[in-house]
Amino acid sequence: MSNANLNSENEPLNRSLITGDGFVTDEPIDLTNCDKEPIHIPGMIQPNGVLLAARRTPTGKIVQCSQNSNDLLGRTPDELLGVPLADLIGTDVMTDLVKRDLNTVASSDLQYLNLQIDVQGLPVRFTAVAHESEGLLILELELESDEDDEADNDFRWIRTFFVKLKQSANRYTASQAAAEQVKEILGYDRVMIYEFDKEWNGKVIAEAKEPQLEPFLGHHYPASDIPKQARELYLRNWLRTIVNVDYTPVQITPIVQPLTGKPLNLSLSVLRSVSPMHIEYLKNMGVCATVTISLIHDGQLWGMITCHHYSPKYVTHRIRNLCNFLGAFFSNELYQRQQLDEYQAELRLRTEASRIAKIFLGNSSPFHVVEELYASESRLLKMMDASGVAISFNDKLLLFGDTPAPAQVRELSGWMAGKAKNYMHQTSRLSLEFSPAEAYKEKASGALYVALSPGQQNYIIWFRPEVLQIVDWAGDPAKAVVRDDDGMRLSPRKSFEKWRQVVQATAFDWRTEQLNALFELRAVVDNQTKSDLQRAEEQALQNSRMLRQNEQRYLQLMEFSPVAFFTITERHIVYCNEQAAKLLGESDKEDLIGRDFLPFVLAESREPMRLLLEQLERDASALVSGSQAFVNVKCEPLQLDITLAAVSHSGKPSIMLIARKIAETIEQQSEYTSITDQLSSYMATDPLTDLPNRRAFEERLEEDWNAAAFLNNKPPIALLEIDIDDFRAYNAVHGLQGGDLCIQSVAQVLDLFGRQYKARVSRMGGGTFMLRLDGEHADRAQELAEQLRQAVVGLQMNRDEGRGAEDYVTISIGGIVTRPNRDYRFTHFMAQADRALMKAKQQGKNRVVFLEG
């Protein structure tokens, strides 16, 4: 009674059930809401097979069946309901089915079986398909055709199909070969290859048909022809058949399945009855039978092989399986062919874009750049299939080919710069997005913009003219209103004769490979960025290298401050300003230099002040503020607000003290607060680079670490320790000023990088930096660290002018990514980054090494 043979030849499908709530409506279904039609639960099947639903137990009690069971199995529904399925198909087959994982997600392929069942005392052979639906085992049975044993042609068909595809020159000839082969296999009147655009409108890109039939090649079909839930079902079965559109649907009894209390979910059914709207659509086309094969790649439905026959026609399981296999192969083959074509085209375009980039990078004279651009006019236009191009460079606007007027180009560039992401923007419907472009849509309905400098004052814009595109639709999709006995109603359109739509104010779309090629021009932006950084560094040195030194900026702050300043080293005043002398009653500040500071503190407060000064000299912590009683040189008492901070003076640990009298004017109070804030900022930043210093970086890291350690969902943190390779040797060759410039250059790169990825950057000392990444950027830390390493090499700072031209300054990076943990301190985290850096150095420098967190 059993002869099970399960096949699994197709690529994986999305075999999850459609749950249905999003496709159910209480309203009558017509074209205004056909995307809500619950086509996955029609409660009926097509009559060319029988459906049985049973519990998933060793015996498999039958709980639902189609009402045509007597026609195929010789038993009425009343005779089958409640009977063990094992009694019908055999214990061995039932045991095998129960053991198999038919879960709709786990089992992505159709589960075929060949069965032999006793029908009124005679053995009858069936082909079956099994799947699971909401806890029930669904078995769909069709009579096995004698043709199913005649597979002599299968190998010849497959071989011919493969050869034709491999010999085809492009995706369109490959599609045509597929259409012709499927037509030969099925014996259908018409086979079309149909692909979707991004709005789900379809276009026939290949067709094989009987000579007398009207051609549909090139016709477009509106998205409403295949609503969303129908596309979802095409993702779940490679192949769907309708044997005869005039069939009478067969009811499933009982209507409600016992486990859910709802109609049986037929998302994965091969016999599922078809939407009445779709039946009417096919009848309007004069079609009697159909086979539809899904074209899927990476879980996405990109097209279909649609087959029409103008009389009823049954397709056997063997032929269906063969078409399944060829459809899956064709989906993959065509996708790969398209990817290869696009890759080769992109490679050519990138080469051309690189040549254009070298015009800007290889010429120091703007005159030579302009000269070479004029010589490259045809190359510029051909590269992007453009009719015109505008280039703004060094305050000059160059126009090639057919372009808008200069003033129009400048206005447009400002709009496109505002829209640009990653220095690029493109549109194929310019006047519909930027209304001033209506005046020149004949010249520029398409525009492709790329900036050539960080400020986007240099740029290229390619233009394409308006193209009056003719779209041939299979009938006017708007004419779907018909009159019947109940008045006017929406219906699938009656006419499928060619209906032409003229699309205006658009240009041909910019191809993906053309857009990707623009990244080659980003080298111009990067080079410009480097030049801007170098100019900024030179300007900073010209302004005054003094202002980059910690001690000197403190002294400058003191000298011109309206607030009293003292610098104290080992309890003695080593520097003060005029305001300090005035506060303590001295006519000349020089009279205070060298004097012990403690005698100016009221006697009972001297010991606490001495301890505070010693503590600050040992530990450069945050500012300390408060009120303190002092005496001036005349021993008159003073009640002062003071702020103390640890600084360095003449290479020795020292204390900076700011003081003012209590209860002074609001203006003086504001001045004191401003100076205190400025001092606080100085204390938190590195004087050479203006980056946060080590202390500020570690304090913030410790604070965030301790806060995150108690969260349930701890965000990841990445820590990168960055060190300039062989920095001491660089200092020896270029001197301290050259070394400072090198540090500043690397710091600028780090600062720009930090701003881009919301990273915290610090100079730890010498040529060493720390960089912290959080959240989603932390997950990309290793990739971003490599980008950072390459960016520093890209500065092209020569180590030694006497060496090779490409002996540039490099950095080594050690990294660690982890989530804050209460079991160890943030200092352990920093130590791990330090160990990773040491490992990078040991492996030869100019490397990125990450340790496991």
Side-chain angles (χ1 to χ4, degrees):
M1 273 222 281
S2 68
N3 182 12
N5 177 26
L6 275 74
N7 300 299
S8 181
E9 295 176 342
N10 296 322
E11 291 184 359
L13 295 173
N14 173 11
R15 296 283 289 163
S16 59
L17 293 167
I18 294 179
T19 54
D21 292 342
F23 301 118
V24 177
T25 176
D26 293 331
E27 303 171 3
I29 296 295
D30 59 27
L31 286 187
T32 64
N33 64 355
C34 60
D35 59 342
K36 293 289 186 181
E37 184 179 10
I39 59 177
H40 61 297
I41 50 171
M44 295 176 287
I45 65 169
Q46 298 180 56
N48 50 286
V50 62
L51 180 144
L52 302 173
R55 294 188 182 276
R56 292 211 62 187
T57 64
T59 57
K61 176 184 173 183
I62 299 173
V63 295
Q64 287 180 287
C65 71
S66 55
Q67 291 186 348
N68 64 339
S69 60
N70 192 51
D71 298 337
L72 276 74
L73 300 175
R75 304 188 194 185
T76 65
D78 290 339
E79 292 173 318
L80 285 174
L81 292 173
V83 171
L85 180 59
D87 290 353
L88 185 71
I89 65 176
T91 303
D92 292 344
V93 177
M94 189 66 201
T95 301
D96 188 36
L97 279 176
V98 172
K99 286 181 179 178
R100 291 183 179 274
D101 188 356
L102 296 176
N103 179 275
T104 52
V105 175
S107 175
S108 62
D109 298 320
L110 296 179
Q111 302 292 315
Y112 289 102
L113 301 90
N114 291 323
L115 303 175
Q116 186 170 288
I117 299 175
D118 287 340
V119 178
Q120 296 179 344
L122 296 175
V124 177
R125 293 163 62 191
F126 289 87
T127 303
V129 181
H131 72 271
E132 182 180 329
S133 177
E134 298 176 331
L136 293 182
L137 168 63
I138 308 301
L139 197 64
E140 298 176 90
L141 302 165
E142 295 179 57
L143 290 172
E144 186 175 286
S145 169
D146 292 338
E147 294 180 13
D148 282 335
D149 292 330
E150 299 175 4
D152 296 342
N153 287 329
D154 290 4
F155 177 74
R156 179 180 61 83
W157 279 332
I158 292 172
R159 183 180 60 185
T160 303
F161 184 71
F162 284 11
V163 170
K164 286 183 177 179
L165 284 190
K166 294 301 181 182
Q167 290 179 343
S168 56
N170 53 53
R171 60 193 301 260
Y172 296 106
T173 56
S175 298
Q176 185 61 35
E180 291 170 358
Q181 192 64 59
V182 171
K183 182 179 185 303
E184 181 182 347
I185 294 170
L186 288 176
Y188 261 50
D189 294 327
R190 186 196 305 270
V191 173
M192 297 172 286
I193 309 291
Y194 178 100
E195 85 177 350
F196 296 113
D197 64 17
K198 55 190 175 183
E199 278 82 34
W200 294 107
N201 298 309
K203 179 183 178 181
V204 179
I205 62 172
E207 180 183 44
K209 65 176 186 65
E210 293 299 308
Q212 73 277 11
L213 295 176
E214 173 193 358
F216 287 169
L217 182 62
H219 281 196
H220 291 70
Y221 292 78
S224 59
D225 278 9
I226 307 176
K228 179 182 178 182
Q229 77 278 33
R231 296 194 300 268
E232 290 292 331
L233 288 173
Y234 283 127
L235 273 173
R236 285 153 173 79
N237 284 314
W238 282 102
L239 187 140
R240 290 279 292 135
T241 63
I242 301 174
V243 176
N244 185 350
V245 296
D246 290 319
Y247 75 88
T248 301
V250 178
Q251 191 82 31
I252 295 173
T253 186
I255 295 175
V256 173
Q257 81 114 302
L259 297 183
T260 64
K262 299 177 181 178
L264 183 61
N265 192 319
L266 298 177
S267 298
L268 310 182
S269 168
V270 297
L271 294 174
R272 174 175 46 83
S273 189
V274 183
S275 160
M277 293 286 286
H278 186 57
I279 291 296
E280 183 176 352
Y281 176 91
L282 294 174
K283 287 182 176 179
N284 289 347
M285 295 184 77
V287 174
C288 290
T290 67
V291 170
T292 306
I293 305 168
S294 301
L295 298 177
I296 301 169
H297 187 82
D298 283 344
Q300 298 294 320
L301 182 71
W302 64 266
M304 296 189 305
I305 302 177
T306 302
C307 314
H308 290 171
H309 204 62
Y310 294 91
S311 60
K313 187 174 180 63
Y314 179 77
V315 178
T316 67
H317 267 276
R318 179 181 65 81
I319 295 297
R320 278 185 257 171
N321 284 339
L322 179 60
C323 289
N324 250 345
F325 169 73
L326 296 180
F329 177 82
F330 177 67
S331 286
N332 188 57
E333 174 72 15
L334 195 60
Y335 179 83
Q336 290 182 349
R337 182 182 295 268
Q338 183 176 350
Q339 291 294 99
L340 180 61
D341 290 347
E342 289 177 357
Y343 170 76
Q344 291 173 337
E346 184 174 326
L347 198 61
R348 291 193 297 270
L349 285 168
R350 280 184 176 271
T351 300
E352 282 299 309
S354 181
R355 289 173 180 166
I356 299 301
K358 287 178 181 177
I359 294 176
F360 297 94
L361 298 174
N363 292 284
S364 57
S365 165
F367 172 79
H368 290 136
V369 172
V370 172
E371 193 175 51
E372 284 201 43
L373 288 173
Y374 274 111
S376 303
E377 176 178 353
S378 60
R379 176 178 291 169
L380 280 163
L381 294 170
K382 185 178 179 181
M383 181 171 72
M384 294 298 173
D385 295 326
S387 56
V389 61
I391 302 177
S392 175
F393 177 73
N394 202 32
D395 296 326
K396 294 184 182 295
L397 183 63
L398 313 177
L399 302 179
F400 305 102
D402 199 9
T403 70
Q408 294 170 328
V409 170
R410 291 190 177 96
E411 180 188 32
L412 174 62
S413 71
W415 177 79
M416 297 196 83
K419 294 284 186 180
K421 292 182 179 179
N422 293 324
Y423 298 102
M424 296 181 288
H425 183 65
Q426 59 89 17
T427 176
S428 297
R429 33 185 291 162
L430 180 60
S431 64
L432 302 178
E433 298 172 10
F434 181 60
S435 56
E438 174 71 24
Y440 49 85
K441 66 178 184 178
E442 295 83 5
K443 296 181 178 181
S445 282
L448 175 59
Y449 168 94
V450 60
L452 298 176
S453 58
Q456 302 193 74
Q457 67 273 21
N458 295 337
Y459 56 82
I460 302 178
I461 307 178
W462 283 274
F463 299 104
R464 284 179 179 171
E466 178 186 31
V467 177
L468 297 179
Q469 298 183 55
I470 306 298
V471 180
D472 289 329
W473 295 91
D476 184 351
K479 293 184 178 179
V481 180
V482 298
R483 179 181 297 277
D484 58 16
D485 295 339
D486 298 324
M488 305 297 288
R489 71 180 181 91
L490 285 168
S491 168
R493 58 192 182 280
K494 297 289 186 183
S495 173
F496 288 85
E497 293 181 1
K498 184 184 293 185
W499 177 80
R500 288 197 158 174
Q501 176 190 16
V502 179
V503 181
Q504 297 179 309
T506 61
F508 289 127
D509 289 336
W510 304 99
R511 301 194 309 275
T512 302
E513 55 267 29
Q514 292 172 327
L515 301 179
N516 290 342
L518 292 182
F519 285 99
E520 295 298 322
L521 294 171
R522 287 291 304 278
V524 181
V525 180
D526 296 339
N527 185 70
Q528 185 68 43
T529 302
K530 185 183 73 173
S531 299
D532 291 347
L533 287 174
Q534 290 171 342
R535 283 194 294 270
E537 289 158 0
E538 291 167 2
Q539 186 64 45
L541 287 174
Q542 290 171 1
N543 288 341
S544 176
R545 187 168 179 268
M546 288 174 50
L547 299 179
R548 290 294 189 181
Q549 301 303 317
N550 203 3
E551 181 178 334
Q552 291 169 328
R553 66 178 180 172
Y554 287 145
L555 294 178
Q556 186 184 48
L557 180 65
M558 293 170 66
E559 189 66 33
F560 302 103
S561 171
V563 177
F565 266 83
F566 301 85
T567 299
I568 304 164
T569 304
E570 297 176 346
R571 288 177 38 184
H572 288 76
I573 300 171
V574 296
Y575 191 89
C576 66
N577 64 359
E578 296 290 349
Q579 296 296 326
K582 183 178 179 182
L583 183 68
L584 294 183
E586 284 286 2
S587 58
D588 188 349
K589 67 177 183 177
E590 295 300 324
D591 292 337
L592 289 174
I593 303 302
R595 295 176 65 171
D596 190 343
F597 178 75
L598 284 182
F600 292 102
V601 180
L602 202 63
E604 56 262 36
S605 300
R606 286 173 189 166
E607 183 60 17
M609 176 62 73
R610 183 185 67 80
L611 294 174
L612 178 59
L613 293 177
E614 289 179 356
Q615 177 189 346
L616 285 174
E617 286 179 357
R618 289 193 307 268
D619 179 17
S621 59
L623 299 179
V624 176
S625 297
S627 299
Q628 180 65 55
F630 282 70
V631 293
N632 62 16
V633 293
K634 298 178 183 180
C635 294
E636 297 170 341
L638 299 170
Q639 193 67 28
L640 304 178
D641 284 333
I642 62 172
T643 297
L644 299 92
V647 296
S648 175
H649 183 81
S650 298
K652 295 181 180 180
S654 304
I655 304 300
M656 172 88 61
L657 186 145
I658 310 172
R660 73 172 176 90
K661 290 181 180 179
I662 294 178
E664 293 288 345
T665 65
I666 294 176
E667 181 179 355
Q668 290 173 325
Q669 184 175 357
S670 175
E671 290 172 347
Y672 177 82
T673 303
S674 174
I675 294 296
T676 303
D677 290 344
Q678 196 170 354
L679 178 59
S680 178
S681 175
Y682 279 4
M683 289 186 63
T685 58
D686 172 65
L688 184 62
T689 63
D690 282 339
L691 294 175
N693 58 25
R694 182 179 193 126
R695 180 182 59 79
F697 182 86
E698 290 183 355
E699 285 179 354
R700 180 59 183 268
L701 178 60
E702 182 178 18
E703 177 184 340
D704 292 347
W705 181 278
N706 293 336
F710 290 88
L711 298 175
N712 291 329
N713 186 19
K714 299 176 178 63
I717 297 178
L719 197 61
L720 311 183
E721 186 168 4
I722 302 145
D723 188 69
I724 300 173
D725 293 323
D726 301 316
F727 183 64
R728 288 185 180 179
Y730 187 93
N731 260 338
V733 173
H734 296 273
L736 293 177
Q737 184 170 336
D740 285 353
L741 181 58
C742 177
I743 288 173
Q744 291 165 356
S745 298
V746 174
Q748 291 276 14
V749 172
L750 291 172
D751 187 47
L752 289 172
F753 190 89
R755 294 173 190 275
Q756 182 177 359
Y757 296 103
K758 299 179 181 178
R760 300 186 184 279
V761 186
S762 169
R763 183 185 174 208
M764 308 302 280
T768 305
F769 303 84
M770 279 283 188
L771 187 145
R772 168 185 161 189
L773 294 160
D774 294 275
E776 60 179 340
H777 298 309
D779 292 330
R780 298 177 55 207
Q782 197 155 357
E783 169 196 345
L784 297 178
E786 180 59 25
Q787 290 181 18
L788 187 57
R789 185 193 67 76
Q790 294 176 10
V792 171
V793 174
L795 291 175
Q796 297 186 0
M797 293 185 293
N798 285 315
R799 290 185 181 279
D800 187 345
E801 297 296 337
R803 295 188 183 180
E806 294 186 2
D807 184 27
Y808 301 136
V809 169
T810 61
I811 57 173
S812 295
I813 302 177
I816 180 78
V817 182
T818 192
R819 296 178 187 273
N821 192 319
R822 283 177 285 179
D823 294 337
Y824 63 91
R825 286 175 48 78
F826 78 100
T827 50
H828 177 76
F829 184 39
M830 295 186 68
Q832 289 284 85
D834 189 60
R835 278 193 284 274
L837 176 62
M838 291 177 61
K839 195 169 182 180
K841 295 283 190 183
Q842 291 166 358
Q843 291 182 6
K845 305 175 185 177
N846 192 22
R847 280 172 169 74
V848 174
V849 171
F850 268 67
L851 298 183
E852 298 225 353

